[in-house]
Amino acid sequence: MQDTDNMKNIRRSSWRKWALRYQSSLQANGRLQFPQLALRRRLGQLSCMSRPALKLRSWPLTILYYLLPFGALKPLTRVGWRPMSRVSLYKSVPTRLLSRAWGRLNQVELPTWLRKPVYSLYIWTFGVNMKEAAVEDLHHYRNLSEFFRRKLKPQSRPVCCYHSVISPSDGKILNFGQVKNCEVEQVKGVTYSLESFLGPCTSTEDMQFSQTSSCNSFQNQLVTKEGNELYHCVIYLAPGDYHCFHSPTDWRVSHRRHFPGSLMSVNPGVARWIKELFCHNERVVLTGDWKHGFFSLTAVGATNVGSIRVYFDRDLRTNSPSYSKGSYNDFSFITNNNKEGIPMRKGEHLGEFNLGSTIVLIFEAPKDFNFHLKPGQKIRFGEALGSL
């Protein structure tokens, strides 16, 4: 008992000493001062932790650092603590796990009496035009997933016959134009690498070409005909848009490349914030050729849009629980029995998202190809993108 009392007395005396030092610092400076020695020791302990554990411990403080007014946590930075950047904080959010949970929730069948109020709230929030839907009765859709993937009346989206490339989906034009210096703009002023986005060339012809002409860029390898240029167009699908995408022209799909990855938001505001966002996110790249040479359509996943479906590709599985960072898998549609690949007609159904996301077109065309677009304009499936 005597030893226990001694220990208590020692603790009380050390606490009194610490309190006196703390009080004297307040009186001397007239403002809040953190006990720097204790904080430095604590930060030293944190620095010895593994990176995942350190991120987990840093999250609450970092969030408070950005949310609290008047720089309440700024004194911490004087003793060595540094908050994660907003980009790092956002990247550390488990968006794939959240997207899978959202997908499970979307597939839960709603009671008939609950369907109309839930869907009406969504329609009001995102401005959905249900008069264009093939089935306008809200009670018809058993769950949110069916409502997101609703089909349209055939006459609501006439396909333009006078232009060579049409919009594959409803959405907003984020960027378009000619590809320069092997870089593509995701939004105005923010670019990403063409090779990082599409992945390396793997065909025999491209391998031989790159060995004999090492000075040529990846961009030049994609251009198959002399005098042609490479063009791009980025279309953002908002949550209220029609979520299916179609073939933008007559072409043949010969190859699919699937990049597992993050599922960060592709909202234009976030796209301005995170460099090479499209290269980080999960995406499905369909490549082939049309009458003017190389043609590709890429469906980019986003938060709550882990499910990307391509109708003719039954082997495609997106948003799997685990993946290796930077990995991808290839699948060829050209076989001994099928030398042509998958022929697609302009306007034909190609695939669908669960919710909204982004479509990126990268294709080869003659120099006199012209886009009939304005940056930021709304566009609907079937309307003209450009022509010769």
Side-chain angles (χ1 to χ4, degrees):
M1 288 292 292
Q2 188 174 359
D3 291 340
T4 306
D5 293 338
N6 289 336
M7 290 295 295
K8 287 181 178 178
N9 290 332
I10 292 170
R11 287 175 184 169
R12 287 194 191 102
S13 63
S14 61
W15 169 253
R16 288 193 193 100
K17 289 178 182 177
W18 183 90
L20 287 171
R21 286 199 304 270
Y22 184 60
Q23 186 177 6
S24 63
S25 68
L26 284 175
Q27 291 172 351
N29 299 307
R31 59 189 177 90
L32 179 64
Q33 291 287 332
F34 284 87
Q36 296 189 4
L37 182 60
L39 277 172
R40 283 200 178 100
R41 285 176 181 169
R42 184 58 183 150
L43 289 168
Q45 293 172 2
L46 285 174
S47 65
C48 297
M49 291 183 179
S50 63
R51 186 167 293 181
L54 183 59
K55 278 188 175 181
L56 189 62
R57 292 292 183 91
S58 298
W59 262 17
L61 280 178
T62 300
I63 292 171
L64 288 173
Y65 180 83
Y66 289 121
L67 292 182
L68 288 178
F70 313 120
L73 294 183
K74 281 189 177 179
L76 283 175
T77 62
R78 299 193 190 105
V79 293
W81 178 75
R82 292 291 179 269
M84 289 188 286
S85 68
R86 288 181 174 88
V87 174
S88 298
L89 183 66
Y90 180 60
K91 285 182 177 179
S92 62
V93 175
T95 52
R96 293 180 65 84
L97 179 62
L98 293 174
S99 297
R100 283 196 298 277
W102 177 253
R104 296 279 180 87
L105 180 64
N106 284 353
Q107 293 172 4
V108 174
E109 185 169 344
L110 297 176
T112 306
W113 62 269
L114 189 59
R115 294 174 188 175
K116 189 169 183 178
V118 170
Y119 301 148
S120 296
L121 177 62
Y122 187 90
I123 290 167
W124 177 78
T125 304
F126 297 108
V128 179
N129 184 4
M130 283 303 293
K131 292 182 179 179
E132 298 175 336
V135 180
E136 296 183 38
D137 182 12
L138 297 180
H139 295 100
H140 170 79
Y141 303 101
R142 294 174 296 176
N143 52 47
L144 283 166
S145 181
E146 285 189 3
F147 179 73
F148 292 147
R149 296 179 287 108
R150 63 192 177 277
K151 298 296 185 287
L152 300 182
K153 296 172 182 175
Q155 64 273 19
S156 65
R157 295 290 188 277
V159 176
C160 179
C161 301
Y162 303 105
H163 297 272
S164 51
V165 183
I166 62 168
S167 176
S169 65
D170 288 7
K172 179 182 179 181
I173 301 296
L174 293 188
N175 220 300
F176 63 92
Q178 192 174 317
V179 177
K180 296 180 180 179
N181 301 322
C182 208
E183 289 192 339
V184 183
E185 282 193 326
Q186 60 188 24
V187 291
K188 189 175 179 66
V190 181
T191 62
Y192 57 93
S193 164
L194 184 63
E195 186 170 5
S196 298
F197 182 68
L198 295 178
C201 295
T202 56
S203 66
T204 306
E205 294 81 1
D206 291 334
M207 293 283 287
Q208 293 173 350
F209 185 86
S210 59
Q211 289 171 0
T212 56
S213 307
S214 57
C215 62
N216 288 328
S217 68
F218 177 82
Q219 178 179 336
N220 292 334
Q221 295 179 36
L222 298 179
V223 178
T224 60
K225 297 182 180 180
E226 188 175 353
N228 281 1
E229 297 290 345
L230 209 59
Y231 298 87
H232 74 99
C233 182
V234 183
I235 305 170
Y236 167 68
L237 288 74
D241 288 327
Y242 169 55
H243 297 112
C244 295
F245 52 93
H246 300 245
S247 175
T249 191
D250 297 333
W251 65 307
R252 294 178 302 173
V253 184
S254 58
H255 186 266
R256 178 258 291 163
R257 177 169 285 165
H258 172 216
F259 290 85
S262 301
L263 287 172
M264 294 180 282
S265 172
V266 291
N267 182 280
V270 179
R272 292 188 189 93
W273 191 32
I274 300 178
K275 184 177 174 59
E276 295 200 333
L277 170 63
F278 295 163
C279 297
H280 292 303
N281 270 17
E282 181 159 13
R283 59 197 182 279
V284 177
V285 182
L286 301 176
T287 57
D289 61 276
W290 68 319
K291 60 183 179 181
H292 299 296
F294 173 79
F295 198 96
S296 73
L297 180 148
T298 303
V300 183
T303 308
N304 299 335
V305 198
S307 175
I308 302 171
R309 183 183 173 193
V310 176
Y311 294 137
F312 59 75
D313 189 355
R314 296 182 180 179
D315 296 323
L316 178 64
R317 298 289 184 273
T318 57
N319 197 11
S320 58
S322 61
Y323 72 97
S324 299
K325 188 175 181 180
S327 65
Y328 60 86
N329 57 76
D330 291 330
F331 184 84
S332 178
F333 298 110
I334 296 178
T335 62
N336 293 330
N337 298 325
N338 180 13
K339 302 291 185 182
E340 300 294 322
I342 308 294
M344 297 297 301
R345 304 294 298 174
K346 184 164 63 174
E348 187 177 351
H349 277 82
L350 184 54
E352 64 189 23
F353 293 109
N354 266 333
L355 208 58
S357 193
T358 299
I359 294 286
V360 180
L361 300 179
I362 298 174
F363 56 92
E364 174 186 358
K367 291 182 178 179
D368 57 349
F369 182 87
N370 292 310
F371 284 101
H372 304 287
L373 302 171
K374 294 180 181 178
Q377 79 170 70
K378 291 288 291 182
I379 197 166
R380 304 201 302 177
F381 156 63
E383 294 179 347
L385 284 184
S387 62
L388 298 169

